[in-house]
Amino acid sequence: MKPITVRRIVLAAASFVLALLSLLSLCFVVGKADLGLGGAGGSAVSDLFSDSGFHLLGGNSNVILSFGATYADELRWLEILCQILNILILAASILMIAGSVLWFFFKEKEKLLKVIAVLAPVVGLLYLIEGVLFSVYLNWYLNLGSVKIVTVAYVPLILIAVFDAAFWVLRAKIKRPVTAEEVAAESSDGFAVYEATEEDSYKETKQEKAAVKAKAPAYVSKYAPDRFEVASLQYLRELKALTDEGVLTEQEFTEEKKRFFNR
């Protein structure tokens, strides 16, 4: 399990919300009949002739059965298409939820979160396309006059877009802590940092790093501070660290220490 940091908690929560919104988009209405009655009572009646993504997963459209029963067989392809799209949305949402949980506990790199942040708006857009196709095609094909088939499939996309933007902002604002593995990897690339004091530091070049490996005593002598400086203790600690890493031998370390104190 990875160390729990503020950044990890915030980003995991944001990605989980994105994945959850993708799943809950199936709760919004793909298409419903607007009977033109107005008021709360009219809305309640219209809701009886509506289809959500979860409902269309079953392949039985209330709208088609209510207003296009005569053409039910001809419109079967539309139900199947909506069913396929909703299965894809459901599968992608479940994978994103599992991915956000998996990353929080086990993963270090944030590539998985970026995939979720990109995939979530795609899912919302896919659901919007489904709603537009469903409502526009039925309005054209059934030609119900004053009765219109409308959709609210755009709402999930708006919610996902808001949280997706929040995710990228949080990711940019909350700094990622540098791990020990990254420091070691950075050192192996030739850029190791040695701090002489809290205010004063220097960074080795690749050539200097090669000099440490090839002729470590000459290198450390070159950068040895005066033994009366505050940095002297830090310098000796760095020599010991180089010895522990195998860059310096015990004999080289002893000789360098003698040279340091005999100056």
Side-chain angles (χ1 to χ4, degrees):
M1 181 175 175
K2 294 295 179 180
I4 305 301
T5 62
V6 173
R7 179 183 175 88
R8 177 169 288 272
I9 293 173
V10 171
L11 293 186
S15 62
F16 182 81
V17 170
L18 281 174
L20 190 61
L21 285 175
S22 300
L23 178 63
L24 294 179
S25 63
L26 295 174
C27 297
F28 289 83
V29 173
V30 173
K32 72 173 183 177
D34 184 2
L35 305 177
L37 299 177
S43 299
V45 174
S46 296
D47 289 340
L48 297 175
F49 307 102
S50 65
D51 294 318
S52 67
F54 278 118
H55 186 267
L56 286 174
L57 279 171
N60 296 310
S61 170
N62 285 331
V63 175
I64 293 177
L65 291 177
S66 300
F67 299 96
T70 305
Y71 310 101
D73 292 337
E74 298 175 30
L75 296 174
R76 181 61 180 164
W77 70 269
L78 182 61
E79 285 185 298
I80 294 175
L81 177 61
C82 292
Q83 191 174 23
I84 292 173
L85 291 176
N86 290 329
I87 290 174
L88 291 175
I89 291 173
L90 180 63
S93 300
I94 292 175
L95 288 175
M96 285 190 290
I97 291 174
S100 63
V101 175
L102 177 67
W103 180 86
F104 179 74
F105 288 105
F106 302 108
K107 297 295 183 180
E108 180 65 34
K109 294 184 178 180
E110 297 173 2
K111 184 177 180 180
L112 181 59
L113 296 188
K114 291 190 285 187
V115 171
I116 293 174
V118 171
L119 185 57
V122 173
V123 169
L125 181 61
L126 192 64
Y127 195 67
L128 174 60
I129 292 173
E130 177 186 343
V132 171
L133 176 65
F134 186 84
S135 58
V136 171
Y137 186 80
L138 286 183
N139 281 324
W140 171 79
Y141 189 83
L142 297 178
N143 192 19
L144 298 174
S146 60
V147 178
K148 299 295 181 183
I149 309 299
V150 298
T151 182
V152 294
Y154 54 86
V155 176
L157 180 58
I158 294 174
L159 294 175
I160 290 173
V162 170
F163 279 90
D164 194 57
F167 169 84
W168 291 110
V169 170
L170 290 170
R171 183 175 180 273
K173 292 293 184 181
I174 304 176
K175 300 300 181 182
R176 183 170 63 88
V178 179
T179 63
E181 291 80 3
E182 290 173 326
V183 172
E186 186 178 339
S187 299
S188 65
D189 290 337
F191 292 95
V193 177
Y194 296 88
E195 291 187 356
T197 65
E198 292 184 358
E199 296 80 15
D200 183 28
S201 63
Y202 64 89
K203 181 175 287 188
E204 292 181 325
T205 64
K206 290 184 178 180
Q207 293 78 14
E208 290 171 333
K209 183 65 179 180
V212 173
K213 295 181 178 179
K215 198 173 181 182
Y219 174 79
V220 295
S221 296
K222 176 184 175 182
Y223 287 98
D226 186 87
R227 62 195 181 97
F228 297 108
E229 293 180 2
V230 178
S232 59
L233 183 58
Q234 177 64 23
Y235 171 71
L236 292 176
R237 287 174 177 169
E238 290 168 4
L239 285 181
K240 180 59 177 171
L242 289 172
T243 305
D244 293 339
E245 292 173 5
V247 178
L248 292 173
T249 65
E250 288 290 342
Q251 181 180 356
E252 290 169 337
F253 171 68
T254 302
E255 292 175 356
E256 179 61 25
K257 187 168 63 172
K258 288 180 179 178
R259 280 195 295 269
F260 177 75
F261 285 109
N262 291 332
R263 285 184 301 163

